[in-house]
Amino acid sequence: MERLLANRVVDAVVIDVKAVPDAGLALPGRFARIPMYALSAFRPDDGVLMASCHRAGFAGILVEGVDNAASGEWVAARTVQLDRRQALADAPRLLRLTDPLQLGAWEEVQRRVAAPITTAHIAQALRITREHLSREFAVGGAPNLKRVIDLARAACAADLLGNEAYNVAAVARILGYASPSHLAGTARRVAGVSALGLRELGPRGVLQRFVRGRTRSRIGG
C-alpha cells in the first residue's frame, strides 16, 4: 500500500485494519486528503478497535461480508477525485467554457489529470484534430487549452500536497513531471507561487489565483 501511494494518484483506500493494525491506523494521519475506510470482519467485541479507527481519522468503517456492493458504491461516491471536482465546479463559468466542445475537453482534462496531458491527447479522445480543438477551445475569451491543462494539473498537485506524507519531489514523480522544477514552473505560471505554495492554496485556491490574470500562455513580471 505504501508503494502504491508513493507512485500513483489514489482516490480512496480500503484496508483491513485487523490484518495490519499498527500500520493501518497510522495511514489516515499521513494521507489526510485521501479518504480511508477500515474494512474487516468486525465483531461485537471490537468496539475498542473501531473507536481507534475513528480517532485515527478513517472516513468510515465497513463490515466485511455485509452488503459489499453497497459498500463499494458508498466508497466510490466519496473519493479524492470527486472532492477535487467539487472544488473546481465553478471552473467552466470562471473560464468562460460554454460550448459543448469546450466542456467536453474540460471533462477529458479532469479525467486524465493524474498523468501528463497534451492537446493531442484531448483531441484524439474527442475525435477531432488538434488544430481544430486548439482554435475552438479558446473562443469567447476562454484560456487556451494548454493553459487549462496546466491549471488542472496544478490543482491536482495542490490536492496531493495536502497530504503530510508527500513533498514536492514525491508529487512531481506521482504526476509524471520530468522533475520537481517542472512542477515548480507550472505552479508559477498558474498561481504565481512556488510548488510548495500550492499546498496552502488547495485546488480551489489554485483556480482563484489562475482566473486573476494568469489565463494567458505568457505572463508578465
Side-chain angles (χ1 to χ4, degrees):
M1 179 62 69
E2 291 273 7
R3 286 195 296 271
L4 179 66
L5 288 165
N7 288 284
R8 61 175 294 182
V9 175
V10 175
D11 275 340
V13 172
V14 178
I15 186 168
D16 187 341
V17 290
K18 283 189 174 181
V20 284
D22 294 335
L25 289 174
L27 283 176
R30 298 179 58 228
F31 298 94
R33 289 288 303 128
I34 303 175
M36 298 203 176
Y37 302 89
L39 169 71
S40 194
F42 289 107
R43 300 176 303 185
D45 59 352
D46 285 326
V48 172
L49 176 58
M50 295 173 75
S52 296
C53 290
H54 177 72
R55 287 194 300 271
F58 278 90
I61 295 176
L62 309 174
V63 180
E64 186 176 358
V66 178
D67 207 352
N68 290 341
S71 294
E73 292 176 1
W74 193 77
V75 171
R78 295 162 176 82
T79 66
V80 173
Q81 180 180 169
L82 291 177
D83 191 40
R84 186 170 58 250
R85 283 178 176 243
Q86 181 61 35
L88 300 177
D90 288 340
R93 177 180 61 83
L94 294 173
L95 302 178
R96 301 180 182 178
L97 308 180
T98 57
D99 185 84
L101 185 146
Q102 293 173 319
L103 296 173
W106 170 243
E107 178 64 26
E108 196 64 31
V109 167
Q110 291 190 95
R111 191 176 71 81
R112 295 169 175 260
V113 73
I117 315 167
T118 67
T119 302
H121 291 147
I122 306 303
Q124 183 177 25
L126 298 178
R127 299 183 179 182
I128 57 178
T129 66
R130 180 179 60 81
E131 293 77 13
H132 179 71
L133 175 60
S134 296
R135 183 173 60 251
E136 295 299 317
F137 188 86
V139 300
N144 65 55
L145 182 53
K146 185 179 184 302
R147 203 79 171 141
V148 169
I149 289 172
D150 281 346
L151 162 65
R153 298 263 288 157
C156 188
D159 212 7
L160 288 173
L161 285 166
N163 297 288
E164 178 185 299
Y166 293 142
N167 57 24
V168 171
V171 170
R173 181 182 66 251
I174 290 169
L175 293 180
Y177 284 94
S179 68
S181 64
H182 281 79
L183 172 56
T186 298
R188 286 193 300 271
R189 289 194 303 274
V190 169
V193 297
S194 66
L196 193 58
L198 295 173
R199 173 177 286 163
E200 183 176 347
L201 289 177
R204 177 66 182 171
V206 170
L207 173 61
Q208 291 172 336
R209 292 293 293 267
F210 181 74
V211 298
R212 291 205 296 264
R214 296 183 176 273
T215 57
R216 298 294 98 189
S217 291
R218 296 183 181 275
I219 58 176

